[in-house]
Amino acid sequence: MREFGYQRVSDVSGAVALLDADPEARFLGGGTNLVDLMKSGVERPSRLVDVRALPLDRIERTDDGGLRIGATVTNSDLAAHPEVRRDYPALAQAVLAGASGQLRNMATVGGNLLQRTRCGYFADVTQPCNKRLPGSGCPAVEGEHHNHAILGASEHCVAVHPSDMGVALAAFDAVVTYETADGPGQLTLDAFYRPVGDTPHRETALPPGALITGVVLPPAPVAARSRYRKVRERASYAFAIGSIAAALDVREGRVHEVRLAFGAVASRPWRATTAERELTGQPADAAHFAAAADAELAAAVPLPHNGYKVTLMRNLVVAELTELAEESARTEEAGR
């Protein structure tokens, strides 16, 4: 591990100024990903700027009825917050599915967004990896890739994004706010994560030295009837091999509004906009759910050992939307 400096900050402008002066420094939240990468030699910062004392640890209502979540809110506090659980239950479920209680107590919202892939080739500095060393190649294409991307990948990288939280945020049109030396800015989550293309090492559209200050969730009544399901190779404390955040509003048997986002299938949380378009206005039944999933997954380009993810994601779409539709029907019947 490279020798590094450490400095704790108490104001946003001071934190941003430190990285502006030292581009090799890194912001430190909970450290649950960054410190591991430093131990393995993937990350070699000159200094850690500890941002946990910044006044960014609140969850509060926005003027239009959405939620503003501070960047240093811990995953545990996010999952337990009553308004998150009531208005965006899939988000709370996603966070609880993400890690052990000990890690959730340390991990922060901002850090979760910036966590890096768990691809074994990326984590092993003795191996080539375009994400870690641009131009060196992607050995996963011909090597071990059973848990790699089937959507949005390229010949340059087939790694997947590991966040559970990010999948739910993608479904609910989250906006990431940040601060730079030039002032504040914001990015929709869709714009926040860059496509792989031929620059997989450039994972986000954040300006250099930017500090994430929070996440804003717009008001979304459909999100109150949402859920998150994660499939993994063991019962707990494992990264997903496929996941889904789904929300559904059914009126008179037809889909009025639907939100779908997939996890563990692409380099970023994958918003299933094609499936959403296919479903809107259609009967809320398993046949239409399956057809919408097929339309979304028509763009999938699986590798020899991860084609199972296409079937897995299709089944997840049908199962989750069917459960939500049945729940909606029961609620409608009880209200008569």
Side-chain angles (χ1 to χ4, degrees), residues 237-248:
Y237 310 150
F239 293 99
I241 58 174
S243 66
I244 181 174
L248 186 65

Side-chain angles (χ1 to χ4, degrees), residues 1 6 20 37 53 72 85 121-122 128 141 149 152 155 157 172 174 201 226 233 294-295 314-315 334:
M1 182 185 292
Y6 171 87
D20 189 49
L37 292 175
T72 63
R85 293 168 63 90
Y121 297 106
F122 170 76
V141 173
E155 62 181 323
C157 182
F172 302 140
H201 59 291
S226 65
E233 292 179 328
D294 288 340
R314 183 182 194 270
N315 291 343

Side-chain angles (χ1 to χ4, degrees), residues 16-158:
V16 170
L18 285 173
L19 252 72
D20 189 49
D22 184 0
E24 291 190 344
R26 295 287 184 273
F27 292 123
L28 174 72
T32 56
N33 184 213
L34 176 59
V35 173
D36 282 345
L37 292 175
M38 290 171 62
K39 290 177 179 178
S40 64
V42 174
E43 290 277 4
R44 295 172 55 82
S46 60
R47 179 190 305 185
L48 294 181
V49 179
D50 191 333
V51 299
R52 287 174 294 181
L54 296 181
L56 302 172
D57 59 350
R58 297 181 62 188
I59 299 175
E60 53 195 359
R61 280 288 175 193
T62 58
D63 292 340
D64 61 359
L67 281 182
R68 180 179 294 105
I69 304 164
T72 63
V73 170
T74 66
N75 287 6
S76 290
D77 287 345
L78 177 63
H81 196 277
E83 291 178 283
V84 174
R85 293 168 63 90
R86 183 188 66 220
D87 296 341
Y88 305 88
L91 176 56
Q93 294 164 13
V95 173
L96 290 173
S100 67
Q102 294 94 327
L103 288 175
R104 290 195 300 270
N105 288 342
M106 288 295 295
T108 62
V109 168
N112 190 296
L113 290 172
L114 293 174
Q115 65 178 302
R116 309 197 68 188
T117 184
R118 265 54 179 194
C119 174
Y121 297 106
F122 170 76
D124 184 352
V125 295
T126 68
Q127 298 286 334
C129 171
N130 285 325
K131 188 178 286 291
R132 179 169 32 78
L133 186 63
S136 62
C138 179
V141 173
E142 300 292 336
E144 172 54 50
H145 56 242
H146 84 283
N147 194 24
H148 285 59
I150 59 171
L151 290 165
S154 77
E155 62 181 323
H156 302 283
C157 182
V158 293

Side-chain angles (χ1 to χ4, degrees), residues 175-320:
V175 175
V176 180
T177 61
Y178 62 85
E179 189 80 24
T180 70
D182 296 324
Q186 64 180 38
L187 291 162
T188 63
L189 198 73
D190 181 59
F192 178 81
Y193 292 114
R194 292 172 51 91
V196 174
D198 58 1
T199 56
H201 59 291
R202 298 180 63 190
E203 296 174 353
T204 78
L206 280 175
L211 170 69
I212 294 176
T213 54
V215 174
V216 177
L217 286 172
V222 68
R225 181 167 285 131
S226 65
R227 62 179 63 213
Y228 181 80
R229 180 176 290 185
K230 175 179 182 176
V231 178
R232 43 194 161 189
E233 292 179 328
R234 61 176 187 268
S236 62
Y237 310 150
F239 293 99
I241 58 174
S243 66
I244 181 174
L248 186 65
D249 180 4
V250 177
R251 302 184 186 181
E252 298 181 351
R254 290 184 176 271
V255 176
H256 177 71
E257 186 177 1
V258 60
R259 304 287 185 92
L260 289 170
F262 300 162
V265 295
S267 64
R268 52 182 176 169
W270 185 268
R271 181 70 178 271
T273 54
T274 299
E276 291 176 352
R277 287 194 299 269
E278 290 286 322
L279 272 177
T280 303
Q282 298 299 313
D285 58 37
H288 286 87
F289 298 154
D294 288 340
E296 186 69 45
L297 294 164
V301 183
L303 296 164
H305 304 298
N306 69 356
Y308 72 92
K309 288 194 175 188
V310 176
T311 304
L312 172 64
M313 296 311 301
R314 183 182 194 270
N315 291 343
L316 279 176
V317 170
V318 175
E320 290 304 285

